[in-house]
């Protein structure tokens, strides 16, 4: 049984910026060493690693750089940002079943100063791209924009709803000195008059391209009691690849607006002792604002088609119905393929967030929606 | 244009397009016949590996659309104001094809005033050659 059998006992991160001088490998090592130090565990004890695709640095490089001992478990989860939470899930399973005793998951990226993946046309033209790229659907913003317009059409969602998401993230980033958008408030006027990226999505509907790295450390619940920090238990974990899914462009599913979140959610809640109504704070993958209402529906916080209305009345703000992305999220803290959402979830349950939800004891963290995804429920 | 890189499963779509035909892969098992897109080796319903390419009427409706703005790749940045649409086929609404709505088959990608696009608007297919590849384009039915 995975439930509460393991805990996250260490988190670490580098600075977040548009440009950091160090390599992805160096940033990865800094984040991992910081996470181990936070846990009070010597790097030589690490025997498990998990990462996700689009990571340039592999576990062989990391293990020898940090001075890990013999490594007995390593995994790499597919689909980029959809794999963030699965790294924790894989390590939790490995530790719970005795395949490893100290697991490290990490993400290091130089997206702020490096090339954007969609500009690499060779990489974008493998066969699935033949159905979209020739027609000028080039970037993730175009692909998600297509779903967003349909969603707005079917359910009466408006740009004000998307603004609610962007604003909640920005307001939290304004409280977080580590966030790229710290001290940079967002107004409705700024949002409504900003330039388009892919209509109906504007500049502020898109995440930040960032340089930076993060890591976390997972051990058994038993060992966690002896670590330096208050344990944050991995209560439930799931991945989701829905029937007839096609990455990023879920257009050939019977129901394109019911994406991978729905699949992951069914398994996630089935294993949990509590339900969506008991979640104190959520960290929902926000590469684009429309992913939030879609995820709110998928993870069961509201009914189908009600995700946009859910954002009204400050629901996503501190003190609201479901405080969201309390570090600022991908939209306003840093876009590090969702890993900052995992660490922020841990901070909330330790009581150390810069936008602390009083007495937060449960947190949902999700990975990239629109691609085969993953999610975890964390418990204090 | 980003020229399509086809695979064994997808190549017939482009070969038929070059002849001016919009065809979609279908299961060829006698009791099945389900259409499927994108093309693949076997039928997800009955698991038959026999397939055929069925001629479509070429009519559909706009399911959704986006208007991409810069930064774009060079070939597309040269046609600001273009649209990318998803068309659900009249013959099989669950089959949705990405494409572009233009004013005439050979018109530039940005030839249509974007204000004329509506979800649900009926469209019909046309074909044009771009960079040596024949691609489907879409024209508004009430042009």
């Amino acid at each position: 049984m995975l439930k509460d059998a393991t805990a996250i006992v260490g988190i670490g991160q580098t600075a977040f910026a548009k440009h950091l001088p160090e390599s992805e490998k160096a940033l990865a090592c800094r984040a991992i060493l910081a996470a181990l130090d936070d846990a009070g565990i010597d790097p030589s004890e690490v025997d498990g690693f998990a990462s996700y695709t689009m990571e340039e640095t592999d576990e062989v490089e990391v293990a020898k750089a940090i001075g890990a001992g013999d490594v007995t478990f390593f995994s790499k989860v597919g689909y980029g940002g959809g794999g963030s939470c699965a790294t924790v899930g894989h390590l939790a399973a490995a530790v719970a079943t005795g395949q490893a005793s100290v697991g490290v998951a990490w993400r290091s990226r130089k997206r702020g100063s490096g090339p954007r993946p969609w500009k690499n046309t060779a990489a974008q033209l493998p066969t699935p791209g033949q159905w979209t790229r020739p027609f000028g659907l080039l970037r993730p913003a175009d692909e998600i924009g297509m779903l967003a317009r349909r969603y707005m059409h079917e359910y009466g969602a408006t740009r004000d709803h998307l603004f609610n998401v962007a604003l909640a993230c920005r307001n939290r980033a304004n409280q977080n000195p580590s966030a790229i958008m710290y001290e940079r408030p967002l107004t409705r006027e700024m949002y409504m008059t900003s330039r388009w990226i892919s209509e109906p999505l504007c500049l502020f509907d898109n995440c930040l391209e960032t340089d930076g790295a993060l890591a976390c450390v997972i051990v058994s619940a038993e060992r966690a009691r002896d670590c330096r920090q208050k344990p944050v238990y991995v209560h439930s974990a799931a991945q989701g690849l829905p029937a007839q899914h096609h990455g990023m462009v879920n257009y050939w599913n019977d129901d394109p607006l019911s994406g991978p979140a729905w699949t992951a959610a069914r398994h996630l809640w089935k294993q949990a002792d509590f339900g969506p109504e008991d979640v104190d704070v959520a960290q929902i993958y926000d590469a684009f604002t429309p992913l939030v209402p879609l995820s709110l529906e998928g993870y069961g916080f509201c009914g189908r088609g009600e995700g946009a209305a859910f954002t009204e009345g400050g629901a996503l703000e501190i003190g609201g119905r479901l405080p969201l992305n309390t570090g600022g999220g991908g939209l306003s803290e840093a876009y590090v393929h969702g890993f900052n959402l995992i660490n922020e979830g841990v901070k909330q349950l330790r009581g150390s967030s810069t936008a602390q939800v009083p007495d937060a004891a449960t947190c949902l963290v999700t990975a990239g929606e629109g691609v085969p995804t993953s999610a975890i429920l964390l418990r204090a | 244009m980003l020229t399509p890189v086809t695979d064994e499963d997808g190549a017939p779509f482009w070969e038929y397009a070059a002849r001016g035909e919009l065809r979609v892969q279908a299961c060829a098992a006698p009791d099945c016949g389900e259409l499927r897109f994108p093309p693949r080796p076997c039928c997800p319903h009955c698991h038959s590996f026999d397939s055929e390419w069925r001629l479509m009427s070429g009519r559909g409706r706009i399911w959704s659309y986006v208007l991409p703005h810069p930064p774009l790749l060079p070939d597309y940045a040269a046609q600001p104001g273009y649209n990318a649409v998803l068309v659900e086929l009249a013959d099989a609404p669950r089959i949705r094809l990405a494409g572009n709505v233009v004013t005439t088959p050979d018109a530039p990608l940005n030839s249509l005033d974007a204000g004329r696009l509506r979800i649900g608007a009926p469209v019909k297919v046309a074909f044009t050659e771009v960079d040596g590849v024949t691609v489907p384009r879409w024209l508004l039915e009430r042009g």
Side-chain angles (χ1 to χ4, degrees), chain A residues 311-327:
Chain A
T311 69
E312 294 170 2
L316 307 180
E317 305 284 343
I318 296 293
R321 193 167 154 197
L322 186 70
L324 180 86
N325 299 1
T326 44

Side-chain angles (χ1 to χ4, degrees), chain A:
Chain A
M1 197 71 178
L2 184 69
K3 193 187 331 181
D4 302 330
T6 64
I8 298 176
V9 291
I11 53 174
Q13 69 186 53
T14 66
F16 303 132
K18 196 79 182 163
H19 175 72
L20 294 174
E22 289 188 306
S23 69
E24 280 192 358
K25 192 195 294 188
L27 295 171
C29 293
R30 285 192 188 281
I32 291 168
L33 290 171
L36 287 163
D37 183 57
D38 185 52
I41 293 176
D42 192 86
S44 65
E45 290 194 65
V46 176
D47 57 4
F49 284 102
S51 64
Y52 43 124
T53 48
M54 301 171 77
E55 179 67 43
E56 297 290 321
T57 309
D58 63 33
E59 55 276 349
V60 176
E61 293 299 309
V62 169
K64 70 182 170 199
I66 67 163
D70 289 345
V71 175
T72 56
F73 179 89
F74 38 95
S75 77
K76 191 166 202 170
V77 186
Y79 313 104
S84 60
C85 292
T87 60
V88 173
H90 285 203
L91 288 173
V95 169
T97 53
Q99 297 174 79
S101 57
V102 177
V104 165
W106 83 95
R107 179 48 122 213
S108 179
R109 300 233 76 189
K110 293 201 75 171
R111 278 277 285 273
S113 57
R116 296 178 183 192
W118 63 267
K119 278 201 166 177
N120 180 352
T121 53
Q124 346 202 334
L125 282 172
T127 54
Q130 69 187 298
W131 311 115
T132 53
R133 300 295 182 228
F135 309 106
L137 276 171
L138 305 176
R139 309 158 300 178
D142 305 321
E143 297 169 324
I144 298 300
M146 192 76 87
L147 292 175
R149 188 184 297 274
R150 181 71 193 191
Y151 181 78
M152 294 161 94
H153 170 81
E154 278 195 29
Y155 297 116
T158 66
R159 292 191 68 213
D160 267 305
H161 292 121
L162 301 183
F163 168 65
N164 289 341
V165 174
L167 181 66
C169 291
R170 184 62 69 91
N171 286 343
R172 298 296 81 74
N174 292 161
Q175 295 173 260
N176 175 7
S178 301
I180 290 183
M181 292 298 174
Y182 182 58
E183 294 183 326
R184 293 179 68 180
L186 176 68
T187 65
R188 186 175 181 278
E189 191 192 353
M190 285 164 68
Y191 177 91
M192 291 297 172
T193 57
S194 69
R195 65 187 170 90
W196 294 113
I197 300 298
S198 194
E199 276 180 69
L201 301 184
C202 71
L203 180 66
F204 296 111
D205 292 312
N206 290 259
C207 60
L208 306 165
E209 298 287 2
T210 307
D211 285 9
L214 301 108
C216 71
V217 181
I218 292 156
V219 300
S220 70
E222 188 180 13
R223 174 157 185 180
R225 287 192 279 275
D226 301 326
C227 288
R228 199 175 274 169
Q229 298 282 357
K230 179 182 164 189
V232 170
Y233 296 96
V234 181
H235 185 69
S236 179
Q239 291 180 262
L241 193 175
Q244 297 296 312
H245 179 69
H246 193 98
M248 288 309 293
V249 285
N250 200 36
Y251 308 156
W252 301 297
N253 195 300
D254 281 358
D255 180 1
L257 297 179
S258 152
W262 293 75
T263 305
R266 278 190 284 274
H267 191 65
L268 192 74
W269 295 123
K270 197 168 68 185
Q271 301 175 89
D273 290 344
F274 56 90
E277 64 282 3
D278 305 309
V279 169
D280 295 327
V281 56
Q283 317 294 337
I284 293 180
Y285 195 92
D286 58 346
F288 305 100
T289 54
L291 299 183
V292 170
L294 289 171
S295 296
L296 290 170
E297 296 173 18
Y299 287 99
F301 293 100
C302 57
R304 174 71 191 267
E306 297 171 355
F310 186 99
T311 69
E312 294 170 2
L316 307 180
E317 305 284 343
I318 296 293
R321 193 167 154 197
L322 186 70
L324 180 86
N325 299 1
T326 44
L331 288 164
S332 280
E333 182 187 27
Y335 182 60
V336 198
H337 251 160
F339 210 101
N340 50 323
L341 300 173
I342 297 172
N343 282 15
E344 176 60 22
V346 172
K347 290 173 194 171
Q348 279 289 347
L349 301 189
R350 284 180 177 179
S352 65
S353 171
T354 50
Q356 185 62 42
V357 172
D359 303 320
T362 57
C363 180
L364 167 72
V365 187
T366 76
E369 176 64 356
V371 290
T373 193
S374 54
I376 48 176
L377 287 173
L378 300 177
R379 216 208 67 190

